[in-house]
Amino acid sequence: MESISVVLCRFHSYRKLLTNLSLWKFYRNNHQLAAATDEARHPGKLSTLFVPGRYGANMYQIVKPVININEIVQNINAIQHSFRSRGISFDIENSIDLLRQFEAERDSYLKFVEKDHEYLTELSNLKSLNDESKYSNLQREHDTFIIELKAAKEKFNHIEELFLSIIAKLPNIIHPCTPLQSDTIEEYITPKEINRTMWSHVEIGKNMSFFKHSKNSSVSYYLTGILSDLELAIQTYFYNKFIENGVTPIACVDFCKSFLLEAVGLDPYSPDQCISLKLKAERGQKLHLVGGASFESFCAYLTNMNVSKHTFPMKYFSLGRCYNAKHRHEKSFDLFSIVQSSNFHYLTLCKDSKNEDEEFESFFNLLISCYSDFKIPFRAINCSAKNLNTTESRRKLLEMWSPAEQMYKPVAHVSQRGDFVSKRLHVTYGVEHVIEGYCHMVEGVAVNIPVLMAFIVENFQKSNVFAIFSGSYKVFPSFYHCPVKLTNPYMQ
């Protein structure tokens, strides 16, 4: 009989062996091998929108963007101007030969595919006629042709990969009203000099317990007391304004897939531009948290949709959450730089560039009207080309004054996208199932509610900040039942 020490020794050796042969070990090794193979097969980050055919099995292409080479060549000077104005170093003119070569290789490959279809049809006919002699001869001929077909396919795949890498870089054409050198400023209500210390909204919030911080994170918070009432009042104010102006409310999803981020000019691989969920990707397409009040969320709703041209202009707004990935690593808390905010996002679909310009001005004027009601200093920034997203042709920011920081900060914006995004996502218009064109888009954030609340708290503080919400001035004159009454030092 073996001693206890020998048994224990054998047990430990067997346990070590079993650990080395565990299912987890097999899974981990297989996963590492697959990852290494995938890395070798896909150098760099594969586009989730412009997917080369050779990677079709690895990246699920949900929508295929419209690519009109003749249109690109016709607008080559405007595209090159857009590159330079945005500060992007890329010479598109040197790529024209590649664009034309892609066309030639594509047409050549399609002829091979068509001929292969003819072979298969003829082989099927001969087989049904039991003509073995002709069938065998044609089969040998087809086998030889298949080698040529594979060579043509490989050649086309190579040129397609180069071609799509260029197409993915193309920016939207700059709008004529976009400044080329630097931002231009339009003042509306200017700040006055106040001869006393102005507290920040964070200091006021701490002293008056307006915020309740989460134990899980220094930047997570809850609104308490009168600020929760203020949030509801702001929502009601903007909701009523939009309804009065014929804008339709819509509920959008909080999540979208990678290709939608890329379609609107964001990088689905960048942690500073998106919040990716830790779920298994569906053939390369991850899910990202964007919030229902976001442009990406609107695009998720509109992708592959053909809207009726008789309903133009189509005006929508969404009230919900919006997530800003670049604020995730903030070390301190303030309402100007939070990850999750309550927003009103606005979108208009229209027929052409003329209608788009009209809707842009209409939405911008609506925002000016709204923010004038608050009697807080604000201004508009006409953004220069270098400050635009690659899918934007024009953008105007609305900034409000922070007396504590003695600077302006953004609270809203309106952008023009032309038909650039629509062509990427097949957002079309027409009658029933007949497509007549691609929708032009005007979109923007009407209000970032936590940011606006921060401005209200700072601008309406009295010399005794603990009496901040006493006074007779009502900040929402059109909201008859608003419980929030504030005193503004700029109005005194």
Side-chain angles (χ1 to χ4, degrees), residues 252-268 273-275 288-303 321-325 343 345-347 389 391 413 417 421 425 427 441 443-445:
C252 296
V253 295
D254 281 326
F255 308 97
C256 75
K257 293 195 173 180
S258 302
F259 78 99
L260 286 163
L261 293 179
E262 193 169 343
V264 302
L266 299 176
D267 182 358
Q273 296 188 35
C274 64
I275 301 175
H288 306 271
L289 182 63
V290 294
S294 64
F295 184 44
E296 304 93 295
S297 185
F298 270 115
C299 288
Y301 173 74
L302 293 168
T303 297
R321 301 298 185 190
C322 186
Y323 296 88
N324 192 325
N343 282 19
H345 205 99
Y346 175 96
L347 174 73
N389 176 294
T391 64
H413 80 265
R417 307 270 180 167
V421 175
L425 298 176
V427 184
M441 294 183 177
E443 59 85 26
V445 175

Side-chain angles (χ1 to χ4, degrees), residues 289-348:
L289 182 63
V290 294
S294 64
F295 184 44
E296 304 93 295
S297 185
F298 270 115
C299 288
Y301 173 74
L302 293 168
T303 297
N304 285 328
M305 182 179 289
N306 187 40
V307 303
S308 172
K309 67 178 183 179
H310 300 303
T311 59
F312 282 148
M314 300 175 67
K315 301 181 181 182
Y316 298 108
F317 75 89
S318 178
L319 166 61
R321 301 298 185 190
C322 186
Y323 296 88
N324 192 325
K326 69 180 180 181
H327 290 156
R328 283 192 293 173
H329 307 297
E330 296 288 341
K331 300 299 182 183
S332 60
F333 166 80
D334 66 71
L335 291 177
F336 294 136
S337 56
I338 56 177
V339 177
Q340 176 184 283
S341 60
S342 298
N343 282 19
F344 272 82
H345 205 99
Y346 175 96
L347 174 73
T348 296

Side-chain angles (χ1 to χ4, degrees), residues 57-58 66 85 111 138 143 193 195 283 289 331 344 388:
N58 304 91
V66 174
S85 301
K111 288 179 181 178
L138 189 62
D143 290 342
E193 186 176 349
N195 296 320
R283 281 171 55 191
L289 182 63
K331 300 299 182 183
F344 272 82
L388 298 181

